[in-house]
Amino acid sequence: MSPNDKYASLVAAAGYLPLVLRGEDYLELLPVAWRAINDYGIRIAHRTYDAPELGPWRRQHSGHVAKRGLWEVHYDPYDISRVFVRTTGGWITAPWVHLPLVNAPFADFTWDHARRLAAAAGLDDSNEAAVARVLDALLTRAEHGPDIRSARVIGRTRTAAALAAPAAAPEIDNMPDREPDSTAASPSAEVVPFGVFDAHAEAERWL
């Protein structure tokens, strides 16, 4: 039997008990990047992460020979404001060093878009501080939405400026007196009142 067949037979015989994931289980399921812990911290995709707890592990071999001594770093692609480093002493959370410049969590694709905006503006897209400011402006616009009211006011202002000025109204003193209307008012039409509806009499007609 394959492992899946064996597992299916055991579940059919004994059932299973669903368990809620713990915090460490969540970290185990996150994507992994192997990085060195340098004096400045950890670099991932032009971002630097650092924490005081990384002090004893800086410039040290992780013990993973197959990974050339790099350290196992887990990250959440939908919130890359911090990473999680596995050490022999447990997990260490290392925040992004420029996180105070950004007002909200952000994903990896948001970071890539901010780098493209920075490059289009003539900034150095490898400069974390410059990209962080662009990222903060991007998240602020996304949080508050477009300024619809200002756009409408500007549109109305431009439209009003494009219209020609109205002609001056004629002076009242120079206007000739209007002749009275000699047409007599037509008599009003005769009003025919509605009768009172008698439900019983109406029912007798249908019997």
Side-chain angles (χ1 to χ4, degrees), residues 141-156:
R141 290 197 304 270
E143 178 182 359
H144 297 289
D147 191 354
I148 299 177
R149 182 176 181 181
S150 298
R152 289 178 177 175
V153 171
I154 295 174
R156 291 176 59 186

Side-chain angles (χ1 to χ4, degrees), residues 113-125 130-131 133-135 137 141:
H113 184 63
R115 290 191 62 200
R116 288 192 293 269
L117 293 177
L123 303 175
D124 183 6
D125 62 348
V131 178
R133 296 186 184 93
V134 175
L135 178 63
R141 290 197 304 270

